[in-house]
């Protein structure tokens, strides 16, 4: 009876969220309820707040006896928070879900992560830590975007190189801040690795605007921007929820693909010393059921057997045919250098 009531509650709550958040692709009639998972788990994540709110509904149903709490912030914010908490001898979280793998490499090296061999690992299409310290949980793609109601496709850049070097775009381009955004940092690493720090000089010469994705999308709609560098999921979300005509351009010199890791903190350093619950939650996120919640949030699945891309996206396999690779070890070891180079060369508003 308790399971039936929980499933009915999930269906009602998901329907209630349909008008204001991501559409859930989870079959609420067949949710597996984990009543055995108890205690509390705190998750630090860089996912968007409205996606977290939709996930919270599902997680509260799947894990009815476990209190799961989220803290949302950009990867830079989360890194600063963790650094400050380390000085106190204990973190305020049990699970981390940040934007890209380089931070997982750092935390593993610091000995902060709990190793767990998930049975779902065999289904993953992307690299994961062989010792089980972290797994990819969602795929975000850095693309270009423009508004076809304002400009034609031949008036904007088709490559990330031209985005910074086409003088016709000067003063009318925008991107996110590598100092605070993990995906923007990964992009800065990839672009500087391919084109040198001169790429940052080119962005500065273009008078690039460094701002949030939501602000950039608004400027695309008004015509203040001709083109922006942005996460694919932000465009897909706007297209589905608002019927926007803003379109993605998958760069000819390669889409920057960011696998976001999920990782559990060791019990001796975590907020609630509840790694047993974290293992089950990790398995759920990597399962078909959990991945359907990820894809409903306009991100690509990490599973090889997941049948569909997010709403209005091209298949993951097509994106992976042309990728601008990121050296995640380099990103970890040289994070500060790349951020400093960007900050010194590109004007960032206070």
């Amino acid at each position: 009876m308790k399971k039936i009531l929980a499933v009915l509650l999930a269906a009602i709550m998901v329907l209630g969220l349909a008008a204001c958040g991501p559409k859930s692709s989870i079959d609420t009639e067949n949710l597996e309820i984990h009543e055995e998972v108890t205690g509390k788990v705190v998750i630090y994540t860089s996912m968007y707040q409205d996606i977290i709110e939709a996930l919270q509904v599902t997680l509260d149903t799947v894990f009815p006896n476990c209190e799961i709490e989220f803290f949302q912030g950009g990867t830079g914010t989360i890194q600063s928070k963790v650094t400050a908490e380390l000085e106190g001898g204990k973190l305020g979280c049990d699970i981390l879900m940040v934007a890209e793998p380089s931070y997982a490499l750092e935390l593993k090296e610091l000995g902060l992560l709990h190793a767990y061999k998930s049975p779902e690992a065999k289904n993953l299409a992307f690299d994961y830590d062989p010792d089980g310290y972290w797994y990819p949980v969602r795929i975000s793609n850095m693309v270009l975007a423009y508004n076809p109601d304002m400009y034609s496709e031949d008036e904007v850049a088709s490559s990330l190189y031209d985005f910074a070097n086409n003088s016709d775009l000067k003063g009318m381009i925008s991107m996110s801040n590598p100092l605070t955004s993990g995906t923007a940092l990964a992009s800065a690493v990839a672009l500087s690795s391919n084109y040198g720090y001169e790429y940052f000089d080119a962005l500065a010469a273009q008078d690039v605007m460094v701002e949030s994705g939501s602000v950039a999308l608004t400027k695309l709609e008004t015509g203040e921007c001709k083109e922006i560098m942005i996460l694919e999921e932000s465009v897909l979300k706007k297209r589905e929820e608002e019927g926007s005509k803003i379109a993605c351009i998958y760069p000819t010199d390669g889409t920057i693909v960011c696998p976001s890791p999920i990782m559990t903190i060791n019990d001796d350093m975590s907020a609630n010393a509840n790694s047993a619950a974290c293992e089950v939650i990790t398995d759920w996120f990597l399962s078909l059921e959990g991945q359907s919640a990820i894809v409903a949030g306009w991100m690509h699945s990490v599973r090889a057997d997941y049948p569909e891309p997010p709403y209005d996206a091209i298949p993951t396999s097509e994106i992976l045919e042309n990728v601008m690779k990121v050296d995640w070890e380099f990103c970890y070891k040289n994070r500060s250098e790349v951020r400093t180079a960007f900050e010194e060369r590109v004007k960032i508003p206070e």
Side-chain angles (χ1 to χ4, degrees), residues 2 8 14 48 52 70 100 110 117 128 138 156 159 195 249 256 270 272 302 333-334 338 340:
K2 186 175 180 181
L8 288 173
V14 168
Y48 294 139
I52 294 169
F70 285 94
E100 42 81 14
L110 290 172
K117 298 292 186 71
Y128 58 91
R138 58 190 169 108
V156 298
S159 70
Y195 301 124
I249 295 175
I256 299 171
S270 67
N272 298 288
V302 296
K333 298 292 186 181
N334 298 276
V338 174
T340 298

Side-chain angles (χ1 to χ4, degrees), residues 28-48:
T28 54
E29 293 184 357
N30 291 297
L31 283 171
E32 181 180 357
I33 310 301
H34 292 276
E35 295 182 350
E36 78 283 3
V37 179
T38 59
K40 182 176 180 178
V41 170
V42 176
I43 302 174
Y44 289 178
T45 182
S46 59
M47 286 192 292
Y48 294 139

Side-chain angles (χ1 to χ4, degrees), residues 300 314-322:
H300 289 252
I314 66 173
T316 311
S317 58
E318 286 187 29
I319 293 174
L320 295 178
E321 288 174 1
N322 185 24

Side-chain angles (χ1 to χ4, degrees), residues 40-42 92-96 263-265 270-274 278:
K40 182 176 180 178
V41 170
V42 176
C93 65
D94 304 282
I95 289 176
L96 282 165
M263 44 192 155
T264 296
I265 303 299
S270 67
N272 298 288
N274 198 3
C278 294

